[in-house]
Amino acid sequence: MANRSPFASKLGAFVALSDEEMTLLDRLHVRRKVFPAGRDMVHEGQKNPSAYILASGWVCSYKLLSGGTRQIVDFQIPGDFLGLRSVLFRTADHNIEPVTRVEASEVLATDLLETFSKTPRLATAVLWAASRDEAMVVEHLVGIGRRDAKERTAHFLLELGSRLKLVGLGSASGYACPLSQNLLADALGLSAVHVNRVLRELREEGLVTFQHGRVEIHDLDALVLLADFDQTYLDHDGPLLK
Amino acid sequence: MANRSPFASKLGAFVALSDEEMTLLDRLHVRRKVFPAGRDMVHEGQKNPSAYILASGWVCSYKLLSGGTRQIVDFQIPGDFLGLRSVLFRTADHNIEPVTRVEASEVLATDLLETFSKTPRLATAVLWAASRDEAMVVEHLVGIGRRDAKERTAHFLLELGSRLKLVGLGSASGYACPLSQNLLADALGLSAVHVNRVLRELREEGLVTFQHGRVEIHDLDALVLLADFDQTYLDHDGPLLK
DNA sequence: CGGCTTGTTGAAGTTTATCAACAGATGTGG
DNA sequence: CCACATCTGTTGATAAACTTCAACAAGCCG
């Protein structure tokens, strides 16, 4: 496999793409931009927002509530596509904030449609990726609704590991993770204090360690059991693929 | 407006469709089927599941957890499309259960693709509907993560009312609702007992009544305020529409 | 160094779950 | 059409999970 973008290699892992299609994909990365951590790239209500393909760094998608709290819907890591729904609606329905310094390629609606019309298989691949993201949101919803704090946290860390492994940024034993406990809390629907206690429990039980920007998985089997983690929603076969 | 299916009239409310396109949409309703309440139409893991357009009755999409609890991801009402993601993955990633007796039209992947290739605008319209459903799931996630039981319940009842109104099954003052408190609990991530208490509070405060299969909204403004209900995620303008 | 964010821990308070009991409604077979 | 079983709704008492407040330590950045 050549030196592809994380995006192309992620899609390629699920839908067989020709070299030509891969090249077309990589050509989407023209308008490369850099965003500093902490300042929103897209904000709720923004008209005609752009979509992006994330090349490096992490971002989060979130919504603010009237009381000043926020809920993070998901994190995006290198290779992820973001803002597709907002482009379709011509209005952003959530905020997007870089968690770290981020490099991303802006994708205009017109470019995307043009690429799709040239190679319908790419349209299918992107639709597949969008569906996978939706499946992750659903699993997130299920976790917040029916898993307790410990199961939920364990599940989150496992899912993240699985996603990072796919783009070569982690292994079964651990990965680098730039998330603060505050961010974790806003994603998991918990208070930061409680996240801290849960992480301590997981650490003291010898399951996972999350310290100094690294997640170390010490007992994968026990963690999977605790979290009731079923990976199938992440690695479906490609859609309608020959 | 002629005597269209709820599905056609829902799409038509957001994307201007010609009579010809409307007719093509209605033609999808060939394989009409009836399902009794309570027995799953689709179950998680099922291979090559069908998609359906709901003509009458209510269904819920849910996932089961290892502990025996379940989380309902959303309810579908007449006019809603269901199972699109499962068709794309060729494997169902959630269960679908009729809440009432249901009439639905089975839509085969091939029929759908054929219709889309004839009229790309219909593909756009369906994609719009799917994105709207995804936005609802996101809002649901936000509610479970960061709203307390009362706000969450109020928000749910308002959203349902808004959706039902769109297909002519409700008004600003109320609607028929076949959901039990158990179903509500599984959707809201609460216990049935607590749902009961919350409904009582809402009733005693003169905001909403949910009794005998009807939701009566007595003080819309106060309810909207309490739930922090912002309808915009439900009625975006059509996607890329001319 | 000094200021700020992040992580950590204890104590007290709130929300929500669980258990249990019963009433009312609904449905089924005899 | 009644008798019985089963689901749904209701309420009280108790327990568990999680939040909030507060204080301080540790890391990070200008």
Side-chain angles (χ1 to χ4, degrees), chain A residues 65-240:
Chain A
L65 286 95
S66 60
T69 59
R70 76 167 174 177
Q71 176 64 44
I72 292 176
V73 176
D74 55 10
F75 295 102
Q76 276 83 31
I77 59 175
D80 284 348
F81 199 106
L82 49 114
L84 190 57
R85 194 173 69 249
S86 294
V87 166
L88 200 66
F89 280 146
R90 294 189 160 283
T91 304
D93 67 348
H94 58 269
N95 306 280
I96 298 182
E97 178 188 309
V99 168
T100 65
R101 175 181 182 274
V102 153
E103 295 177 288
S105 302
E106 188 176 10
V107 179
L108 303 181
T110 50
D111 294 351
L112 198 61
L113 294 176
E114 192 191 338
T115 304
F116 285 176
S117 65
K118 277 188 205 155
T119 59
R121 282 174 61 82
L122 279 186
T124 307
V126 170
L127 190 54
W128 170 83
S131 299
R132 174 178 168 279
D133 289 350
E134 193 185 340
M136 290 196 324
V137 173
V138 166
E139 193 60 34
H140 192 179
L141 166 65
V142 170
I144 294 189
R146 287 297 185 213
R147 276 189 259 264
D148 70 23
K150 208 154 112 186
E151 298 166 345
R152 206 185 301 171
T153 306
H155 194 279
F156 176 82
L157 294 176
L158 283 170
E159 179 186 291
L160 212 43
S162 179
R163 292 170 63 193
L164 287 164
K165 194 176 160 195
L166 185 62
V167 288
L169 293 174
S171 72
S173 67
Y175 51 90
C177 180
L179 305 178
S180 69
Q181 293 182 0
N182 267 306
L183 287 166
L184 231 54
D186 283 341
L188 297 173
L190 300 167
S191 69
V193 172
H194 201 58
V195 166
N196 183 288
R197 292 191 225 275
V198 167
L199 287 178
R200 171 155 56 101
E201 284 182 59
L202 291 172
R203 191 186 328 127
E204 288 173 352
E205 290 167 15
L207 299 175
V208 229
T209 308
F210 182 3
Q211 275 172 329
H212 316 299
R214 267 201 73 79
V215 173
E216 297 290 351
I217 297 178
H218 295 115
D219 190 340
L220 181 61
D221 293 346
L223 205 58
V224 166
L225 193 67
L226 167 67
D228 187 25
F229 182 62
D230 175 359
Q231 193 149 356
T232 52
Y233 73 99
L234 287 177
D235 49 27
H236 287 285
D237 290 333
L240 310 171

Side-chain angles (χ1 to χ4, degrees), chain A residues 15-34:
Chain A
V15 181
L17 296 174
S18 68
D19 276 359
E20 189 195 341
E21 287 166 331
M22 286 282 204
T23 306
L24 268 170
L25 264 188
D26 285 341
R27 201 166 292 162
L28 283 175
H29 292 267
V30 193
R31 307 168 168 269
R32 181 63 62 103
K33 296 195 172 184
V34 173

